[in-house]
Amino acid sequence: MIERLYIKNYLIIKEAEIELDRGLNILTGETGAGKSIILDALALILGERADYSKIKKDEDRLIVEGHFNFAENKTVQKVINDIFPDEESGNDNIILRRELNKKGSSRNFINDSPVNISDMKKFGDAIIDIHSQNEHQSLLNKETHIGILDNFSLKSEIIRKYLKSFTELKHLVNKYKELEAKKDELIKKRNFLDFELKEINNVNVTSGEDTELENELKRLENTEVISESTVNAIKLLYEDDANAGGLIKSAVKELSKITEYDQELKKIISDLENANILVKESSDFLISYLDKLNFDADRTEKVRNRLSDIVHLKKKYGLTLDELILKAENLQKEFNFADNFDFEIEKLLKEIETLRKEVFKIGNDISYLRKKGAVELAKNINKILNEVGLEGAEFKVNIEKIIGEKDDLLSSGSDKEFVRLSQNGFESVEFQIKINKGSDFTPLQKSASGGEISRIMLAIKTVLSEKDNIGILVFDEIDAGISGRIAQKTGKVLKALAASHQIICITHLPQIAAMSDRHFHVSKKEDKVRNETVASIKTLNEKEKITEVAKLLSGENITEASSKSAIELIKA
């Protein structure tokens, strides 16, 4: 439940703190006093889009903070664990905080830890349902009906299973359509693919071959220079009279005469002897290298021609050697595909057929559960409709198959009937009602008035609340278009719903306000010093509640009769 809501610098609310109760929390007040602002502020910490124009005039920062308690609510704990996987679970107290800065920045916190707005929305979706006049209008939209029915009838696992398979099927169907569209292009392209593939394969390059050939060609073309320098190096190292090896030996001989005077010279002698070994090994290598070195005109020509072919290919395609090898592999795949197009199409159609059967099987399971749920939903809603004064009304859920076509890959059936798959299965859903006995069932938008739509919405939410784990329900003027006896019946339904849920409700009706477990009055006044309008929120005691309900009955001039009626309503 929400235990406390703190609001600062939100439009005409300078600073307000609301201590909420379990059960039915009622907000009343004159139009424009700021009742809906409170619900907007609540929506803000539940992940709604930030509107920086809501920051109070002449203030830099807007703050909304909500304190929640979710003792033993596993759904909420799971969401918190998803958001903070590294933290220990088990904390029943959650604080949501959001700050908007006039510069256009926003900061979001859950239990003082910074979070993304998507995390706040994820949390908000798990804990609260907010129902407003706009949602009443959405009930008239047929497209929303299937979602409402499925929330009542289906478990999330079967929906996820269907969507996963349907998405895969759509992907295969789209792939098939793309291939069909490319058929002529692929056939034309086949000859070109064949030409490019043969051109690259004829050269038959290997990775790193161009670098190896360039190095070899340099050696072959410069054999004479290499030979001359190698001979000179051998002489200098070990063959000339004053060769490096001989000079090092002489140096060792001279130093050996004086080591008895300085022991540190032994290390130098050791280093020189090692150096002499390296000189000898280098000389031996060069002698061997020189023996193998010879100019081969035929080999030189072959290397030049091979290198020329590779360079030509690299320039033509603008690719490195490794990229050319990869291109050849891709060309081979494309060529194979073009060469076996009909086989690939046939293979894809078989995959589509197999998966389509699987999707239809899951769709049939959904259809069975949906039809079973539709009967139960209608039965339960009709019971509530009777309780809110729509005694002669009857609600039903109309389910129809989506008509498909023979050549449509998302359709299946016989010549008599083809049914088409969609994101929601192969059915459409529409809520229908007959307001009076003896009349025909018609869509909601053709039959129901504003007040009737409000009560139908309340009935749906009451029934759905028994199926979900959302413990907080918010109603923004769900009493629109009703009064008198009907309002009192609606209030009793809200009161009954508040036995298992925390409810926050804005109302103008005394019959509903009288049912409150905690009553808040929202008012506004002019601050002449600051030349501004400021809203305030007050928690009413029992006496103040009677006065407020009496005002809702008779206006500002409270009479003895209105006070008496208010007491009767509260005690009813």
Side-chain angles (χ1 to χ4, degrees), residues 378-391:
K379 178 184 174 183
N380 294 345
I381 287 175
N382 285 325
K383 182 182 176 182
I384 304 295
L385 291 179
N386 187 59
E387 293 175 14
V388 294
L390 290 170
E391 292 91 346

Side-chain angles (χ1 to χ4, degrees), residues 245 248 269-282:
I248 291 172
I269 291 171
S270 177
D271 290 342
L272 288 171
E273 287 173 340
N274 289 332
N276 196 37
I277 292 170
L278 288 174
V279 168
K280 181 67 170 68
E281 288 175 351
S282 298

Side-chain angles (χ1 to χ4, degrees), residues 229-245 283:
S229 293
T230 303
V231 168
N232 291 336
I234 292 169
K235 288 178 180 179
L236 290 169
L237 288 173
Y238 237 84
E239 291 185 357
D240 280 355
D241 293 337
N243 63 74
S283 177

Side-chain angles (χ1 to χ4, degrees), residues 294-323:
N294 66 309
F295 178 73
D296 186 337
D298 291 339
R299 177 58 186 166
T300 303
E301 190 62 25
K302 284 180 181 178
V303 171
R304 282 189 185 130
N305 292 338
R306 177 67 176 162
L307 198 54
S308 175
D309 290 342
I310 292 173
V311 170
H312 170 74
L313 210 57
K314 285 164 63 176
K315 284 184 178 179
K316 179 175 180 178
Y317 290 98
L319 301 172
T320 64
L321 199 62
D322 287 339
E323 288 170 343

Side-chain angles (χ1 to χ4, degrees), residues 263-508:
Q263 295 297 315
E264 285 186 16
L265 294 174
K266 287 184 177 180
K267 183 181 182 306
I268 302 299
I269 291 171
S270 177
D271 290 342
L272 288 171
E273 287 173 340
N274 289 332
N276 196 37
I277 292 170
L278 288 174
V279 168
K280 181 67 170 68
E281 288 175 351
S282 298
S283 177
D284 291 343
F285 171 81
L286 291 175
I287 291 168
S288 175
Y289 175 78
L290 189 61
D291 288 340
K292 296 174 186 176
L293 189 67
N294 66 309
F295 178 73
D296 186 337
D298 291 339
R299 177 58 186 166
T300 303
E301 190 62 25
K302 284 180 181 178
V303 171
R304 282 189 185 130
N305 292 338
R306 177 67 176 162
L307 198 54
S308 175
D309 290 342
I310 292 173
V311 170
H312 170 74
L313 210 57
K314 285 164 63 176
K315 284 184 178 179
K316 179 175 180 178
Y317 290 98
L319 301 172
T320 64
L321 199 62
D322 287 339
E323 288 170 343
L324 273 172
I325 293 168
L326 183 61
K327 181 178 177 64
E329 291 173 1
N330 292 332
L331 284 170
Q332 187 66 60
K333 289 176 185 177
E334 285 189 70
F335 181 79
N336 291 342
F337 185 81
D339 215 32
N340 299 284
F341 183 82
D342 292 336
F343 172 77
E344 294 293 335
I345 286 287
E346 190 64 30
K347 179 183 172 186
L348 189 55
L349 284 173
K350 286 179 181 178
E351 289 180 34
I352 290 171
E353 177 63 22
T354 301
L355 188 54
R356 185 171 58 207
K357 287 179 181 178
E358 180 185 325
V359 178
F360 264 101
K361 184 179 182 303
I362 304 170
N364 277 317
D365 293 339
I366 287 175
S367 178
Y368 171 77
L369 295 171
R370 194 176 272 158
K371 287 171 182 174
K372 184 180 176 183
V375 174
E376 186 182 352
L377 179 65
K379 178 184 174 183
N380 294 345
I381 287 175
N382 285 325
K383 182 182 176 182
I384 304 295
L385 291 179
N386 187 59
E387 293 175 14
V388 294
L390 290 170
E391 292 91 346
E394 187 178 352
F395 175 93
K396 83 165 185 175
V397 181
N398 188 51
I399 300 175
E400 293 183 351
K401 290 180 179 178
I402 301 170
I403 304 302
E405 296 178 2
K406 184 177 181 180
D407 296 327
D408 181 10
L409 292 174
L410 291 175
S411 297
S412 183
S414 63
D415 290 337
K416 291 182 179 179
E417 181 186 55
F418 278 90
V419 180
R420 192 177 197 275
L421 293 165
S422 74
Q423 193 83 0
N424 298 308
F426 51 73
E427 295 164 324
S428 63
V429 172
E430 184 174 41
F431 294 160
Q432 296 183 348
I433 196 165
K434 55 179 179 182
I435 300 299
N436 303 300
K437 289 182 178 179
S439 59
D440 295 327
F441 281 102
T442 54
L444 291 182
Q445 71 266 31
K446 293 184 179 179
S447 305
S449 65
E452 288 161 348
I453 285 293
S454 296
R455 282 176 283 165
I456 293 168
M457 172 62 82
L458 176 59
I460 289 172
K461 293 303 177 184
T462 301
V463 172
L464 290 179
S465 68
E466 299 168 3
K467 290 275 187 177
D468 60 36
N469 293 313
I470 294 177
I472 306 168
L473 302 175
V474 179
F475 294 101
D476 185 1
E477 299 187 22
I478 199 166
D479 53 17
I482 61 173
S483 60
R485 180 180 65 87
I486 304 303
Q488 190 166 16
K489 286 192 169 190
T490 302
K492 286 182 178 179
V493 171
L494 278 170
K495 185 70 174 178
L497 187 57
S500 57
H501 294 70
Q502 183 186 40
I503 295 179
I504 303 169
C505 180
I506 292 176
T507 185
H508 294 290

Side-chain angles (χ1 to χ4, degrees), residues 172-228:
L172 291 180
V173 169
N174 289 336
K175 185 178 178 182
Y176 171 81
K177 289 177 179 178
E178 289 172 6
L179 289 179
E180 277 292 305
K182 291 179 179 179
K183 185 174 182 178
D184 292 339
E185 180 188 342
L186 278 170
I187 292 171
K188 290 177 183 176
K189 194 178 177 182
R190 183 185 179 282
N191 292 333
F192 181 68
L193 291 171
D194 186 38
F195 170 77
E196 286 195 331
L197 185 60
K198 284 179 178 176
E199 185 176 41
I200 296 173
N201 285 344
N202 284 341
V203 178
N204 192 26
V205 293
T206 57
S207 181
E209 184 183 0
D210 51 348
T211 303
E212 291 176 6
L213 290 172
E214 285 168 0
N215 290 334
E216 185 180 358
L217 187 60
K218 284 179 183 177
R219 288 196 302 272
L220 289 169
E221 289 180 337
N222 295 279
T223 302
E224 188 176 341
V225 175
I226 294 170
S227 177
E228 183 180 343

